[in-house]
Amino acid sequence: MLDGGLLHKNIIFLFALFFCLSVFATDLNNWIQKEYLVSQQKIFANISPADGLPGVVIASPSRQDPNYYFHWVRDAALVFYSLINDAHFRSSEISLDDYLYFSRRVQLAPSLSGLGEPRFNVDGSAFNGLWARPQNDGPALRVLTLLHFLEIGVHQSQREKINEIIETDIAFILSHAAEASFDIWEEIRADHFYTRIVQMAALKKGILHFDVNWKISIFDCEAVRAELENALNKHWLSEKNYFSISLNRTEGGANKVTDLDTAVILGALHAGLDQDFYFSVRDEKILATAQQLENTFQNLYEINQNLEMAPAIGRYADDVYFGGNPWYLTTLAYAELHYRLAKSLLVNPDFLVTELNISFLKQAWNIKNKTLEVGLNIKNDSAFQKLLIKSLIDRGDQFIETVRLHTTSEGSMSEQFSRKNGYALSARDLTWSYASFLTAVQTRNEILNRVVQ
Ligand code: NOJ
Ligand code: NOJ
């Protein structure tokens, strides 16, 4: 039994604790809200630039060192994906019609590698200089974005345009899925986990929206989807317990010895198969890969030493581009991974703690008086379900805190931040960095709204 004085002290202590916690949380929430608006504005500013065609998404306003004043098919698809669920987008000056028009135009533009051409000039012509080409993930990402627009609802004329673009992109995936191409980081010609997983997801979701007028066969779509799924399984390295990013390298990547790469995590996020058992944010092998990457970057970067927060995350250990630093979009991807898994567990808690996923889950787990054990099925214990979801959200927030620490007071994010001192590096105002912030926060909001209800 507590005596009166002690009880009193304890109550004061508890109040103080809750006060601190909520001030802390409100402070983060306030920053997130502000940064969300900044990110939207920065994205809008990088779409349809005055000296380019409507619908162009420049990767960054930077025109030198590096020159990112181009429309990358990949970046543009991911940026438009981040706007789909955004309330301000529909009332903004930015129009989906422009993106559709420009996408169709670049699909038909003569170029050195057809639909595998990675980037276009802002006047819609292909960039024909020396570059890593083809990059075959672009059309798949465009399909995933446009299918999501269809799900949310578009006008009839937009639907027709979308169908036309998707049909062309899927035909490209069918005829090029077996072909090696350059990776998401534009460095290595090989068979890539990232390219394959987004192609597989584009076909899987494309089949559900199949249009009978398309001049492609639904049976081919299913056959190639199954081939891609088989091929993805070959990336699993059972002696190392992670998915290798690339197999059968034939060109590039002199500096890159490792095959452990955050692009695997980006692949699972961008494929968006969140309720699936395999190749999703629930997949024990994706989570095992994520944990090994996290450990790598935790040890690698000076700014990650003695940090109370989550570590800043980069592309891969031996990266040398601009000195090989953490990136905003990869660190934000880790926040999103935690939120997406939390959301998936809320929808379907039938989830087993396994040898492969336990280290990832334990890293997030912040409940002192209960321990996670291999063999536990979250479905069977609603207390664990709630606590795991809460832990995942908190861990996701820690990655946001890390990004916050390296974001300027005006809210600007570039491509990278220094591994030594955290200052912004490489392309300024990278559109994809802001898009990653939007999708992470959208998922965070969805899950918080549901948990509170
Ligand atoms: C430019 C690419 O976009 C970047 O990802 C890569 O690391 C460098 N070139 C070096 O090849
Ligand atoms: C270099 C990155 O490696 C690549 O993924 C991206 O598409 C371009 N920069 C443009 O942002």
Side-chain angles (χ1 to χ4, degrees), residues 68 72 131 184-187 315-316 319 321 327 415:
Y68 275 23
W72 263 268
W131 205 248
I184 177 176
W185 308 133
E186 319 191 283
E187 295 174 329
R315 303 197 294 185
Y316 55 88
D319 193 356
Y321 186 48
W327 286 37
E415 181 186 70

Side-chain angles (χ1 to χ4, degrees), residues 58-60 62-63 66-70 72 321 327 415 426-427 430:
I58 50 166
S60 148
S62 171
R63 290 171 193 257
N67 182 359
Y68 275 23
Y69 208 78
F70 296 93
W72 263 268
Y321 186 48
W327 286 37
E415 181 186 70
S426 187
L430 188 84

